Amino acid sequence: MTEPVDSNDVPTQVRERHATLSQEIEDHRQRYYFATPTVSDAEFDQLMHELEGIEEQYTELRTPDSPTQKVGAPVAEPGAGVEASWPPVEHLERMLSLDNAFSSDDIAEWAARVEREVGTGARYLCEPKVDGLAVDIVYRDGRLATLATRGDGRTGEDITYNAQFVDAIPNELTGTDEFPVPSVVEIRGEAVFPTAEFEAVNAERADLGLPLFANARNSGAGVLRQRMDRRREKLDAAKAKADAAGNEGRSQLAYERVLEEYERARRNLNRMILVCHGIGRRDGFDIRFQSEAYEALRAWGLPASDRPQVVPDLDAVQGFIDHYGQHRHDIEFEIDGVVVKVDQVDLQRQLGSTSRAPRWAIAFKYPPEEVTTKLIDIRVNVGRTGRVTPYGVMEPVKVAGSTVENATLHNASEVKRKGVLIGDTVVLRKAGDVIPEILGPVAELRDGSEREFVMPSECPACGTPLAPAKEGDVDIRCPNSRSCPSQLRERLFYLAGRSGFDIEAMGWEAGIALIDAGVVADEGDVFGLDADQLKQVPLFTNTDGELTVNGRRLLDNLRKAKEQPLWRVLVSLSIRHVGPTAARALAGALGSMEAIREASEEELAGTDGVGPTIAASVKEWFAVDWHQAIVDKWAAAGVRMVDERDESTPRTLEGLTVVVTGSLQGFSRDDAKEAILARGGKASGSVSKKTSFVVAGENAGSKHDKAVELKVPVLDEDGFRVLLESGPEEATKLARVGEGGSEEPADDAAEAAGDAAE
């Protein structure tokens, strides 16, 4: 820890930086509060962290007016120019913020402070941190009295009027013998759009030509705080005017437009959910544990999460953090971390609070998945099927643990729909392993120097004029499929990928090198490569002109790849719409490349999992001479073109659908899928009532929970092996069905599996 410096020794530049940071943070808080932020949460956290570091060293600067000592933003006074502001309302008890932790060391330091204050008896309550709008709800004698935003922690906005439109907020509390309804109780929670509802809202806005919301939290804040009372007044006035005009003409049209806007606003409010996580003021009721509060909230009919867990030590806390770090997108709403609390209320009181945050709780924040950065340029990439895709070139920025410089923009229509200009500050998102995506611009930061993107009319790689493949297509393509260097490079990279031949030594750099050296004119030449040809490629030769280790490894990988099953060969041909699922279906039904090539469009479409679009694409692909030449070259080089059915593998899963979730010790995800398909089953990625079995490995997530909810039989890894070897009847005896994985009679599980198979 940095030693504090005497107040007389604060350098001028430090004072100036402190003042600049303070003002910047206050400005961002105001924008955040009114749902118009210009920086991401992560960037705001960095500013606050810098300010806290300055004040830790120069303690004189830590005054009550500092942003580090405040919660949220003050409510705008009437006439302050904020049209959407509501009247202020004081909270019964102060609403605090939370201090943040960004590493396991930060959590350990916090826990050590707790132990110094209260000893070793503390246990911890962990829960996902909802990325929503903090609200305060007061019930008096069981009836809703006020709904308010957090504001500055003492005073929020009174948005009670809007509560009538949010079904998630009950107007009246229920109760039980164990948890009767208190005379006064103040509920703390987060209001947020579920991810699916947020996407639906944005889809509607896109259809209407309205600007898209950047994220679920900000859009939820804007929706919940809108003045529905004024919208109602406007609607009533428009209705009266239309009635006076006899419900005809411009007045009627104006009324219908206002009604449509009102109904859309009301519908969006009802899409929001509430997640309750605490209790403030309570009269006639007390709790001993924070976890007990969740039981009370649910007993009163309030929507409290069932995900919090009480854990005994820091190892378990870290385990909880790690689990939701891997499964954060399995939850129906956005989370940005985990909140860790001391569970015992008496210890919470001992620990107390600072001016802005309780000492008995801390928020662990995951690496940001959403940041802002400068969009330097928009360029285009030509894919393996000729599709031309715009992508943004940005100032490098760290997001979701990696540095990002490029992000997809999908197509020209999407660029226009999002309203992105070259030179904009943009919101960038990278969720998990998903390709980074530009969500939209921060329009408030424009200075007039920004310019529109113009889609090129010619292929940037080969100069061929671009055009849609078919009339009405959104995408434009380069029709020079065979010779366009960009398309060939992408196809080589794709056929070497895990879904194709899985050629480890032929990555992006190797593909470019083979093309540049002229030893590969198209992908048909790949399996004809020999040592003499590779010696013409500088990447694979040493200074003596001999093959490098990677060169010899590539030849070895190519020999092994020739034995890959037929479906992988099909995938590697880059036939439009033919991915692993369709390729498996075609290979399984027809058995050979020759049979697939000769099959009619009707025969192809009749294959389960194929359909008319894929069938037409396959026939169209094989109608091209140079495409057929690729297949012929591969066949001549010894690539497998026929699948021999292994009669020794029992067809134990005919008609069954199996979902594998979590990690298995003896199977990779691909191995498990292959094992299911080889036995005649269908390997699915989602759980439904038609699912026959769910195989749940370590860290199984929402798919396991869905199986329990739908009473789909659940197997562990040993049960999966029995299913593969002996079929559903024997496996059912080992299955768990229903609530919490409790076992139901084997007959019930068998019936469930039989129903799914039918």
Side-chain angles (χ1 to χ4, degrees):
M1 182 180 290
T2 308
E3 289 295 323
V5 174
D6 186 270
S7 62
N8 294 322
D9 295 332
V10 180
T12 301
Q13 64 268 32
V14 173
R15 288 186 182 275
E16 290 175 352
R17 179 58 179 161
H18 183 274
T20 300
L21 272 175
S22 298
Q23 185 58 54
E24 192 174 350
I25 288 169
E26 292 291 1
D27 290 345
H28 288 314
R29 273 183 169 160
Q30 286 287 346
R31 285 186 171 277
Y32 175 93
Y33 189 72
F34 291 106
T36 57
T38 55
V39 296
S40 66
D41 286 358
E43 290 163 302
F44 180 85
D45 287 341
Q46 288 175 353
L47 296 174
M48 182 64 81
H49 190 64
E50 182 183 352
L51 190 66
E52 288 169 344
I54 291 173
E55 291 183 1
E56 186 175 326
Q57 186 173 7
Y58 302 99
T59 54
E60 174 196 330
L61 300 177
R62 187 182 290 144
T63 67
D65 291 333
S66 170
T68 64
Q69 308 303 301
K70 297 179 183 178
V71 176
V75 176
E77 294 294 329
V82 182
E83 184 180 353
S85 63
W86 291 84
V89 60
E90 288 192 18
H91 304 309
L92 302 183
E93 284 189 7
R94 197 158 49 109
M95 287 186 75
L96 299 174
S97 184
L98 288 171
D99 288 331
N100 291 328
F102 300 97
S103 68
S104 55
D105 288 344
D106 292 342
I107 291 286
E109 286 179 18
W110 168 78
R113 289 196 298 272
V114 169
E115 186 173 329
R116 285 196 299 271
E117 293 291 327
V118 300
T120 58
R123 65 183 195 183
Y124 305 109
L125 176 72
C126 301
E127 58 189 300
K129 184 178 180 296
V130 184
D131 193 14
L133 175 71
V135 294
D136 181 84
I137 315 171
V138 176
Y139 287 88
R140 297 183 184 275
D141 297 322
R143 295 194 64 80
L144 177 68
T146 58
L147 169 67
T149 61
R150 180 170 62 185
D152 63 3
R154 297 183 183 277
T155 304
E157 285 183 305
D158 187 347
I159 56 173
T160 310
Y161 183 90
N162 285 358
Q164 64 184 297
F165 304 106
V166 185
D167 285 350
I169 301 175
N171 190 53
E172 190 169 356
L173 299 183
T174 57
T176 64
D177 291 340
E178 185 178 2
F179 298 108
V181 176
S183 57
V184 177
V185 65
E186 188 177 26
I187 307 299
R188 302 302 170 52
E190 298 282 326
V192 68
F193 275 129
T195 305
E197 295 293 351
F198 168 67
E199 291 170 354
V201 169
N202 260 353
E204 287 183 9
R205 293 180 70 83
D207 290 342
L208 294 167
L210 298 173
L212 302 190
F213 290 130
N215 56 51
R217 197 271 322 290
N218 289 341
S219 60
V223 166
L224 192 60
R225 295 180 55 260
Q226 64 188 315
R227 291 299 300 257
M228 287 298 290
D229 56 340
R230 294 179 181 172
R231 284 184 180 272
R232 183 74 225 189
E233 291 170 2
K234 184 179 178 182
L235 178 65
D236 291 342
K239 179 69 166 65
K241 192 171 182 179
D243 288 346
N247 297 317
E248 294 180 355
R250 295 175 61 184
S251 295
Q252 179 63 23
L253 291 174
Y255 164 66
E256 290 173 359
R257 186 171 61 252
V258 173
L259 176 61
E260 183 180 339
E261 291 172 357
Y262 178 84
E263 287 299 320
R264 186 169 66 250
R266 183 188 59 77
R267 187 168 60 249
N268 286 346
L269 272 166
N270 198 39
R271 283 172 157 154
M272 298 193 73
I273 61 171
L274 176 69
V275 183
C276 299
H277 55 65
I279 300 175
R281 165 89 171 270
R282 56 233 188 215
D283 291 355
F285 169 77
D286 208 354
I287 51 174
R288 294 175 301 153
F289 302 102
Q290 183 78 24
S291 51
E292 189 181 358
Y294 292 98
E295 298 177 44
L297 291 168
R298 284 189 285 269
W300 296 334
L302 288 159
S305 172
D306 58 1
R307 292 185 174 89
Q309 290 182 16
V310 177
V311 300
D313 53 38
L314 283 187
D315 287 343
V317 169
Q318 191 61 49
F320 188 94
I321 290 170
D322 292 344
H323 173 79
Y324 279 101
Q326 296 171 14
H327 296 279
R328 60 189 293 188
H329 299 294
D330 295 344
I331 300 177
E332 65 272 19
F333 46 76
E334 291 292 330
I335 67 170
D336 59 355
V338 164
V339 178
V340 185
K341 304 173 181 176
V342 172
D343 192 36
Q344 298 98 319
V345 173
D346 60 336
L347 298 185
Q348 291 181 5
R349 288 171 179 148
Q350 271 184 255
L351 289 161
S353 304
T354 66
S355 61
R356 64 177 296 275
R359 292 190 177 93
W360 46 266
I362 194 165
F364 179 90
K365 301 290 283 288
Y366 291 125
E369 293 190 325
E370 194 173 291
V371 297
T372 56
T373 189
K374 196 78 169 178
L375 180 63
I376 300 170
D377 197 6
I378 297 178
R379 301 172 188 166
V380 298
N381 177 60
V382 183
R384 62 189 172 89
T385 61
R387 179 186 175 194
V388 180
T389 305
Y391 66 94
V393 180
M394 300 161 300
E395 290 181 356
V397 62
K398 193 159 188 177
V399 55
S402 60
T403 300
V404 172
E405 297 181 59
N406 301 317
T408 183
L409 281 162
H410 301 294
N411 54 53
S413 299
E414 190 76 353
V415 176
K416 188 174 183 63
R417 184 179 73 87
K418 291 183 175 182
V420 177
L421 302 178
I422 297 169
D424 268 334
T425 296
V426 294
V427 180
L428 176 72
R429 179 176 176 81
K430 182 174 182 281
D433 294 327
V434 177
I435 297 170
E437 179 183 11
I438 293 171
L439 297 180
V442 184
E444 292 86 350
L445 296 182
R446 285 178 175 162
D447 59 12
S449 63
E450 298 80 13
R451 68 186 192 279
E452 284 193 27
F453 164 70
V454 178
M455 196 74 172
S457 58
E458 296 180 347
C459 175
C462 66
T464 303
L466 302 174
K470 297 176 183 175
E471 187 177 346
D473 277 4
V474 173
D475 298 321
I476 62 171
R477 296 176 184 273
C478 170
N480 182 21
S481 303
R482 186 177 193 181
S483 306
C484 176
S486 282
Q487 292 184 60
L488 177 56
R489 181 186 66 230
E490 295 280 354
R491 292 200 303 269
L492 289 181
F493 185 62
Y494 183 74
L495 75 82
R498 289 191 61 190
S499 294
F501 283 109
D502 196 13
I503 305 170
E504 186 179 341
M506 203 169 91
W508 185 263
E509 189 179 0
I512 294 172
L514 292 169
I515 295 169
D516 289 347
V519 298
V520 169
D522 61 37
E523 54 267 53
D525 298 329
V526 168
F527 289 100
L529 289 171
D530 57 24
D532 289 337
Q533 288 174 305
L534 278 193
K535 287 178 183 178
Q536 301 173 43
V537 183
L539 181 67
F540 294 115
T541 55
N542 55 32
T543 53
D544 298 326
E546 297 299 319
L547 286 182
T548 62
V549 172
N550 277 343
R552 293 194 299 273
R553 190 154 63 95
L554 175 57
L555 291 175
D556 186 52
N557 286 171
L558 288 171
R559 280 192 292 271
K560 292 176 181 177
K562 294 176 184 180
E563 298 302 316
Q564 292 284 20
L566 179 61
W567 73 266
R568 287 183 177 273
V569 181
L570 269 175
V571 169
S572 301
L573 292 173
S574 287
I575 302 172
R576 193 177 179 192
H577 304 307
V578 179
T581 301
R584 287 175 192 272
L586 288 168
L590 298 172
S592 72
M593 187 68 75
E594 186 63 25
I596 294 169
R597 188 194 304 210
E598 297 300 324
S600 68
E601 193 168 321
E602 291 73 20
E603 287 174 310
L604 294 171
T607 302
D608 185 32
V610 177
T613 300
I614 295 174
S617 186
V618 171
K619 293 302 292 183
E620 184 180 311
W621 192 90
F622 275 108
V624 177
D625 290 345
W626 70 269
H627 287 168
Q628 294 191 42
I630 290 171
V631 176
D632 294 341
K633 285 181 185 179
W634 285 359
V639 174
R640 182 175 174 178
M641 293 289 161
V642 178
D643 267 351
E644 302 282 344
R645 177 172 285 189
D646 185 356
E647 299 298 335
S648 66
T649 301
R651 305 287 285 182
T652 52
L653 304 184
E654 292 280 7
L656 299 184
T657 299
V658 182
V659 174
V660 178
T661 180
S663 302
L664 302 178
Q665 294 294 320
F667 298 84
S668 69
R669 189 59 62 88
D670 285 343
D671 290 341
K673 192 170 188 177
E674 290 284 358
I676 293 165
L677 295 171
R679 288 159 177 80
K682 179 181 178 182
S684 177
S686 59
V687 180
S688 71
K689 289 182 179 179
K690 294 186 177 181
T691 304
S692 310
F693 291 92
V694 169
V695 179
E698 188 177 349
N699 294 324
S702 59
K703 292 176 186 176
H704 172 268
D705 298 339
K706 185 73 170 178
V708 171
E709 177 188 338
L710 297 177
K711 295 192 174 181
V712 173
V714 177
L715 298 170
D716 60 13
E717 186 166 349
D718 290 336
F720 181 45
R721 294 180 190 278
V722 172
L723 177 67
L724 295 175
E725 296 306 317
S726 305
E729 187 174 343
E730 291 300 316
T732 295
K733 298 174 184 177
L734 305 174
R736 302 188 308 276
V737 181
E739 192 69 31
S742 61
E743 295 206 12
E744 291 189 356
D747 288 347
D748 290 351
E751 185 179 342
D755 289 346
E758 291 175 13

